[in-house]
Amino acid sequence: MDKNDVCKMLQRIRDENPLVHNITNTVVTNFTANGLLAVGASPVMANAPEEAADMAKIASSLVLNIGTLNGQTVESMILAGMSANELDVPVIFDPVGAGATRFRTESAQTIMSKVKVAVIRGNAAEIANVIGEKWEIKGVDAGASEGNVLTLATEAARKLNCIVVITGKEDVASDGTTSYVVANGHPLLTKVTGTGCLLTSVIGAFAGVEKDVLKASTAALMFYGVAAEKAVEKTYGQGTGSFQIEFLNQLSLVGDKDLYRMGSFKIVQ
Ligand code: ATP
Ligand code: TZP
Ligand code: MG
Ligand code: MG
């Protein structure tokens, strides 16, 4: 995989406008819909158990996010996930806050056991807790534990039998054998709520046009990180509000030249 593949996937999203069905949290719903539109995808939020399965069937990808979960949304996620599985619609899962409470950890594990998830994306603590390893977590933010993220991603991918994406200073996408490490991004992303959640949905947009979900995930990570770096360039010193708006702008503006000039990832086997 090279930068040209990333450019081609981005062009396909902008040409084909894949429908991304999100069952997500109440904090990030609007930001996620606007971010997906900026990238070129077509977002739909459909949470009700009465319609979740039907919507998943007509989507190009399904994104499940437990950020503000309750019994009913977890039920909807399982119904939608099983329905997506029947038609091979890729399911992308964000286990927000797994490890922070027993309800979150157990709900994440239940979803993983009932739904064939193509990609799980979280911070290191969330991924560690989903596979039963202890890693400090503070609410929905990764805690202070220091561990080897590449090793964790590889181990989690083998245990969960899916692509594992762990984000932080460096991002890793792994299928358990091959891993990509993406250097793009900026610490300001951690000062705007929902940037992790939106990234999970952007992976959904890439997976909606590219069947190889390891490549789709890596492309999404690089593209997203480049957009953040460009937004920082444009709004340097202006604070997190200006950054948030410019980041949305850049999700719609980043093009091939930016990806070639600024994009950076390496493969580890
Ligand atoms: P957390 O709640 O721990 O912040 P999250 O779900 O919000 O997790 P992040 O890990 O913050 O997700 O990832 C969101 C985006 O922010 C990713 O593109 C990631 O590369 C980027 N990012 C996070 N931390 C840094 C950092 N220190 N430097 C550069 N980019 C970062
Ligand atoms: N609380 C519950 S969900 C949520 C908060 C603050 C948003 C988390 O978003 P992200 O993308 O993980 O920072
Ligand atoms: Mg964050
Ligand atoms: Mg998160």
Side-chain angles (χ1 to χ4, degrees):
M1 153 144 171
D2 56 25
K3 289 181 189 177
N4 192 36
D5 296 319
V6 181
C7 297
K8 279 198 209 146
M9 284 182 230
L10 180 59
Q11 196 53 52
R12 282 193 65 191
I13 295 172
R14 289 174 176 166
D15 290 343
E16 297 171 26
N17 319 122
L19 181 66
V20 182
H21 174 194
N22 301 266
I23 302 180
T24 190
N25 68 72
T26 55
V27 181
V28 307
T29 302
N30 177 272
F31 183 59
T32 302
N34 276 320
L36 283 171
L37 284 170
V39 175
S42 181
V44 63
M45 279 54 186
N47 295 357
E50 292 85 350
E51 67 165 356
D54 290 342
M55 190 63 81
K57 283 207 169 90
I58 58 165
S60 298
S61 62
L62 170 69
V63 177
L64 306 177
N65 177 310
I66 62 166
T68 51
L69 77 178
N70 59 50
Q72 181 170 295
T73 49
V74 173
E75 183 197 339
S76 295
M77 288 183 204
I78 292 168
L79 289 170
M82 289 168 61
S83 165
N85 287 166
E86 280 172 28
L87 292 188
D88 275 335
V89 173
V91 181
I92 325 299
F93 179 43
D94 191 327
V96 182
T101 65
R102 209 169 105 182
F103 183 45
R104 281 173 191 264
T105 311
E106 289 180 357
S107 297
Q109 288 169 344
T110 303
I111 289 167
M112 288 303 295
S113 70
K114 297 201 169 168
V115 176
K116 170 112 194 72
V117 165
V119 184
I120 183 170
R121 199 290 316 164
N123 61 45
E126 290 161 345
I127 300 299
N129 279 283
V130 170
I131 61 166
E133 286 184 10
K134 290 271 161 284
W135 192 302
E136 190 189 329
I137 183 148
K138 187 174 135 209
V140 298
D141 293 329
S145 310
E146 286 289 325
N148 186 321
V149 172
L150 188 57
T151 308
L152 174 61
T154 306
E155 187 193 337
R158 287 183 188 166
K159 276 197 181 157
L160 299 171
N161 197 22
C162 69
I163 303 303
V164 172
V165 175
I166 300 180
T167 55
K169 188 172 184 306
E170 276 191 331
D171 302 330
V172 180
S174 180
D175 66 4
T177 307
T178 302
S179 302
Y180 290 91
V181 179
V182 182
N184 295 111
H186 193 278
L188 264 184
L189 282 168
T190 66
K191 300 295 176 197
V192 175
T193 194
T195 55
C197 301
L198 173 56
L199 171 59
T200 305
S201 290
V202 170
I203 292 172
F206 278 77
V209 298
E210 170 56 56
K211 273 200 174 325
D212 184 329
V213 282
L214 177 60
K215 289 183 178 166
S217 302
T218 306
L221 290 169
M222 189 185 104
F223 161 73
Y224 199 81
V226 167
E229 289 171 26
K230 280 196 72 194
V232 172
E233 271 176 20
K234 298 251 177 206
T235 59
Y236 192 75
Q238 290 176 36
T240 55
S242 299
F243 168 72
Q244 181 182 9
I245 294 300
E246 189 55 35
F247 179 54
L248 286 177
N249 289 337
Q250 292 303 327
L251 288 175
S252 72
L253 293 172
V254 162
D256 294 1
K257 264 212 270 186
D258 306 306
L259 294 171
Y260 277 111
R261 181 170 65 89
M262 300 165 76
S264 164
F265 65 84
K266 62 176 191 238
I267 189 166
V268 186
Q269 262 157 337

